[in-house]
Amino acid sequence: MLSQPLALPEQLALAEPATIATALQWACLLLAPTSDSAQLDAEVLLLHCIKKRRAFLYTWPEKPLTPEQVKSFEALVQKRHKGLPVAHIVGEREFWSLPFMVNDTTLIPRPDTEILVETALSLPLSTYAKVLDLGTGTGAIALALASERESWEITAVDKVDDAVALAIANRENLKLTQVNILQSDWFSAVKARDFDLIVSNPPYIDETDEHLHQGDVRFEPQSALTAAEEGFADLYYIAKTARDYLKPNGYILLEHGFEQAVKLRAKLVELGYENVATVRDFGSNDRCTLGKWAE
Ligand code: GLN
């Protein structure tokens, strides 16, 4: 005889009384079909509701949740179930171990971009290096660099006013007030021949890329994601124009798609950069390429 069909997880409310462990288990079941990071999503959403740090979840799995916590957790999990990025639901994403406020006006900082920060920090630059971050978005790259190099003179720019406002809010929140943040269409508001290092994580996804219809990118602004010429237009523009904005022996360092390294290296060499090299991210994908402007 056939048994009663099981209720689908999405039809279940979180059973009360709920504990940390039962709440996480419920959310994982609900999110697993639509998210490939269900466990992490559930943990970040629960921590947001109970206002605790990660270790708390493992130390106190039996701890009961209050009815208010259950209600708010259910609401957040339902939003995630509809596809909304976790970072947008909680309004925050960690990058370089720093908390960044996020919203839908910019790209959500990615762990992949930490390799760009690490590479920038490894360059032989002076204690008082002048650094430019183009298309800063939340300010993640510029502020992460500032958190490591107090005496660097860092300028971060974005074309979008809302992004500039968000980066400034992050700067204030992180108390990294030495970073100069301004509105600029790429180089339009900065001085020529002024920088020892120019970094950028520009839009580099091809406009027809399938991956634009999946996951978090559906909720991020197109202007931060896609570029013409199979995603190369902004990378090439920045590489070409940066030559006028770098000091002699300054570096350019660009994030790009994992299949764009060969062409981008060729372009940098063609433009006259030296010591051109690509660095892989922690997933072993080609992720950023640098060159030295020796003139
Ligand atoms: N790395 C991001 C992604 O593939 C895109 C970031 C970008 O276009 N700069 O989702």
Side-chain angles (χ1 to χ4, degrees), residues 11-295:
Q11 290 164 344
L12 293 175
L14 172 52
E16 292 192 63
T19 64
I20 284 183
T22 64
L24 287 176
Q25 202 180 16
W26 166 78
C28 276
L29 257 181
L30 187 65
L31 298 178
T34 50
S35 168
D36 48 21
S37 53
Q39 175 76 30
L40 180 64
D41 297 355
E43 290 181 3
V44 173
L45 295 175
L46 185 57
L47 289 171
H48 184 72
C49 293
I50 64 176
K51 311 222 172 332
K52 300 279 186 220
R53 300 181 73 81
R54 192 106 181 253
F56 191 88
L57 301 180
Y58 304 107
T59 317
W60 303 107
E62 306 301 329
K63 206 108 182 144
L65 301 181
T66 66
E68 293 73 37
Q69 288 171 335
V70 168
K71 238 186 149 84
S72 66
F73 185 54
E74 278 180 344
L76 301 192
V77 172
Q78 294 299 349
K79 282 189 189 173
R80 178 62 184 145
H81 186 241
K82 289 189 186 126
L84 240 76
V86 173
H88 286 175
I89 299 171
V90 301
E92 190 179 295
R93 170 58 43 95
E94 193 169 283
F95 178 82
W96 202 257
S97 301
L98 301 169
F100 282 87
M101 293 178 267
V102 297
N103 60 36
D104 60 9
T105 64
T106 75
L107 199 74
I108 300 166
R110 310 280 205 271
D112 294 341
T113 304
E114 293 187 351
I115 198 66
L116 186 147
V117 173
E118 202 172 290
T119 306
L121 294 172
S122 73
L123 293 171
L125 296 172
S126 88
T127 319
Y128 301 102
K130 287 188 88 169
V131 180
L132 173 64
D133 176 19
L134 294 165
T136 196
T138 57
I141 296 172
L143 294 169
L145 291 175
S147 76
E148 300 286 343
R149 296 285 186 273
E150 262 181 43
S151 55
W152 278 9
E153 198 180 313
I154 302 174
T155 300
V157 304
D158 206 289
K159 182 169 78 171
V160 178
D161 287 329
D162 287 339
V164 174
L166 181 61
I168 289 175
N170 277 317
R171 175 184 71 187
E172 303 309 305
N173 189 44
L174 295 168
K175 301 190 172 46
L176 294 165
T177 46
Q178 73 272 28
V179 178
N180 182 25
I181 299 175
L182 49 117
Q183 197 276 336
S184 176
D185 187 358
W186 297 134
F187 299 90
S188 68
V190 299
K191 233 172 88 190
R193 299 199 190 289
D194 204 28
F195 298 99
D196 300 289
L197 170 64
I198 295 176
V199 297
S200 184
N201 174 16
Y204 55 68
I205 302 177
D206 178 64
E207 284 142 339
T208 62
D209 193 321
E210 280 297 299
H211 138 246
L212 292 168
H213 307 291
Q214 298 156 13
D216 287 2
V217 287
R218 292 171 299 165
F219 299 87
E220 294 172 296
Q222 193 86 1
S223 64
L225 292 168
T226 64
E229 292 174 57
E230 297 177 320
F232 282 98
D234 292 311
L235 287 165
Y236 286 174
Y237 175 79
I238 293 169
K240 184 167 178 263
T241 316
R243 297 176 302 175
D244 295 330
Y245 288 83
L246 285 168
K247 290 185 197 164
N249 297 321
Y251 290 87
I252 187 168
L253 172 59
L254 299 170
E255 179 172 326
H256 51 75
F258 71 104
E259 293 173 320
Q260 291 175 317
V262 173
K263 276 190 164 179
L264 185 58
R265 280 201 302 271
K267 176 60 87 177
L268 291 189
V269 170
E270 180 195 317
L271 290 168
Y273 289 95
E274 295 178 3
N275 301 2
V276 173
T278 295
V279 184
R280 291 187 168 176
D281 62 23
F282 304 112
S284 286
N285 291 311
D286 285 342
R287 185 55 61 199
C288 48
T289 291
L290 70 156
K292 187 170 166 181
W293 183 242
E295 190 188 80

